[in-house]
Amino acid sequence: MKKLIEILHIEYPIIQGGMGNISNAKLAAAISNAGGLGTIGVGTLTPDEVEHMIQELRKLTKKPFAVNLPINVNSYMKEMISLMIKFNVPVVSLSAGNPAPIIPILHENNIKVMVVTASVHHAIKAEKAGANIIVAEGFEAAGINSPYETTTMTLIPQIVDAVTIPVIAAGGIADGRGLLAAFSLGAQGVQMGTRFVATKEAPFSSDYKNKILNANDHNTIIIGRSKGQTRRVLEGDYTLSLLKNEEVYTTEQYAEATNENHHIIGAIDGNEKKGFMNSGQIAGLIHDIPTVKELLEGMMAECRKTLKNIGNLLNR
Ligand SMILES: Cc1cc2nc3c(=O)[nH]c(=O)nc-3n(C[C@H](O)[C@H](O)[C@H](O)COP(=O)(O)O)c2cc1C
């Protein structure tokens, strides 16, 4: 099996997950420049907005980067695929929908494809459809989650055993110990969201970052179960009220209440009374706001140190 870092042409096996409409070129460039793989999130943005972001990112980095296309979330999928080809985007990550019709078009244009999945069944299907890499995302993760609710610890080794392409672990990883754990389960790298929110370069409200710093191990909640759209968010006035009342909302009202505008109000404006802040359960482990470079280098060093400590333990 080819190595993940060789497929992606990156130095460290650490990938930034797409983040709806809120992750921007500056954050993605910082991550790619630091040796990881930065990602532009397409969310519900228009092709013009995404084109502008790709152009900005290209000015900020010469390194590889990814664009995340959430298939059933964005209504301009055809135009987005054309943009990926026009700008020769090195890597596309496909989530939230059936990737099979899209993968061959991207491959014809030499674009590497990562598919985000939360089940063994979907991982096998994605490999059959031609995916180069599987991102296996457990239920600990921030944002929209699979209704299967399978955790990272259980999901990763099952997907690793079921496919023959590299697997990236996502959900619940924020430090070098998590990276080593992912390796132990058979993954070749990690994708993080929550940890990257609390970095200096992340373009989000300081209230959002501080809420992550102050979160404990049970300050995230799942909203949307009754609507078949599970999403992990930080506890706040808006999200607790959604949780309490979601069953009385119609599907349309609930979709409106959790759309990207409310994401921006929470994450960019820092207003937890009118918007939501996505976060994974790992928030309780995050106590600082490093630069992306400090974070990546620190994770790699901690991973190596932890491996050495385990070696010492085993050799006793
Ligand atoms: C603010 C935010 C927005 C997100 N939006 C998306 C998205 O648009 N598409 C997607 O595939 N994943 C999205 N995710 C999930 C991340 O890409 C990543 O897989 C996840 O955060 C990993 O789990 P962690 O938060 O425990 O690190 C989002 C995560 C965050 C924190």
Side-chain angles (χ1 to χ4, degrees):
M1 189 191 299
K2 209 170 168 196
K3 270 193 182 167
L4 175 79
I5 53 171
E6 286 165 7
I7 299 174
L8 297 176
H9 301 288
I10 53 176
E11 193 182 344
Y12 303 135
I14 303 174
I15 283 86
Q16 173 220 339
M19 297 190 198
N21 294 18
I22 66 167
S23 52
N24 68 2
K26 195 176 150 216
L27 177 63
I31 293 164
S32 287
N33 285 336
L37 188 75
T39 301
I40 289 179
V42 159
T44 58
L45 297 173
T46 63
D48 281 353
E49 289 168 317
V50 174
E51 176 160 351
H52 179 76
M53 264 211 263
I54 296 174
Q55 284 170 331
E56 196 189 341
L57 178 61
R58 276 260 152 79
K59 283 189 199 137
L60 297 172
T61 187
K62 298 273 169 282
K63 299 277 182 75
F65 63 91
V67 175
N68 172 244
L69 302 181
I71 300 165
N72 293 336
V73 174
N74 190 284
S75 18
Y76 306 96
M77 213 31 69
K78 236 178 154 177
E79 292 86 343
M80 290 300 172
I81 293 165
S82 301
L83 267 187
M84 301 303 107
I85 296 166
K86 178 177 167 193
F87 285 95
N88 216 355
V89 168
V91 184
V92 166
S93 95
L94 297 171
S95 59
N98 177 14
I102 303 175
I103 295 175
I105 309 171
L106 296 174
H107 277 175
E108 273 164 31
N109 292 279
N110 291 322
I111 297 171
K112 297 277 177 334
V113 182
M114 313 198 291
V115 174
V116 185
T117 67
S119 78
V120 172
H121 170 70
H122 286 124
I124 292 170
K125 276 181 89 169
E127 180 177 23
K128 281 202 180 120
N132 301 97
I133 295 160
I134 299 292
V135 178
E137 189 183 65
F139 193 54
E140 297 90 324
I144 294 175
N145 270 323
S146 158
Y148 295 131
E149 307 198 0
T150 312
T151 58
T152 302
M153 181 85 167
T154 51
L155 184 69
I156 305 308
Q158 294 187 64
I159 289 188
V160 165
D161 286 353
V163 299
T164 62
I165 50 178
V167 174
I168 294 171
I173 297 147
D175 66 6
R177 294 171 298 177
L179 174 59
L180 183 63
F183 285 142
S184 304
L185 297 174
Q188 285 203 34
V190 296
Q191 171 168 301
M192 305 191 299
T194 307
R195 176 64 269 197
F196 281 125
V197 170
T199 56
K200 287 217 167 64
E201 292 89 339
F204 313 137
S205 148
S206 53
D207 294 321
Y208 184 14
K209 296 183 186 182
N210 285 332
K211 273 200 78 132
I212 288 182
L213 294 195
N214 294 328
N216 63 29
D217 54 338
H218 52 86
N219 280 155
T220 68
I221 54 170
I222 294 291
I223 56 171
R225 270 196 182 102
S226 66
K227 291 286 177 275
Q229 204 219 57
T230 44
R231 180 191 283 273
R232 190 176 292 284
V233 291
L234 284 169
E235 263 179 9
D237 292 350
Y238 189 72
T239 54
L240 286 169
S241 143
L242 271 181
L243 181 64
K244 203 166 144 209
N245 301 311
E246 62 182 51
E247 282 181 42
V248 299
Y249 281 69
T250 63
T251 308
E252 292 72 30
Q253 283 170 332
Y254 186 76
E256 206 283 320
T258 52
N259 68 16
E260 278 297 311
N261 290 337
H262 290 281
H263 190 194
I264 289 166
I265 293 169
I268 306 286
D269 303 345
N271 182 344
E272 62 158 16
K273 292 198 185 332
K274 293 187 174 160
F276 62 88
M277 299 171 183
N278 285 339
S279 171
Q281 287 179 313
I282 203 65
L285 192 74
I286 297 172
H287 308 298
D288 58 355
I289 304 186
T291 64
V292 161
K293 188 171 188 291
E294 287 163 352
L295 173 66
L296 265 51
E297 287 173 359
M299 280 182 70
M300 293 306 295
E302 190 185 28
C303 179
R304 291 191 187 101
K305 189 174 142 208
T306 310
L307 180 61
K308 208 170 150 202
N309 291 344
I310 293 172
N312 290 339
L313 276 178
L314 291 174
N315 288 333
R316 266 201 199 134

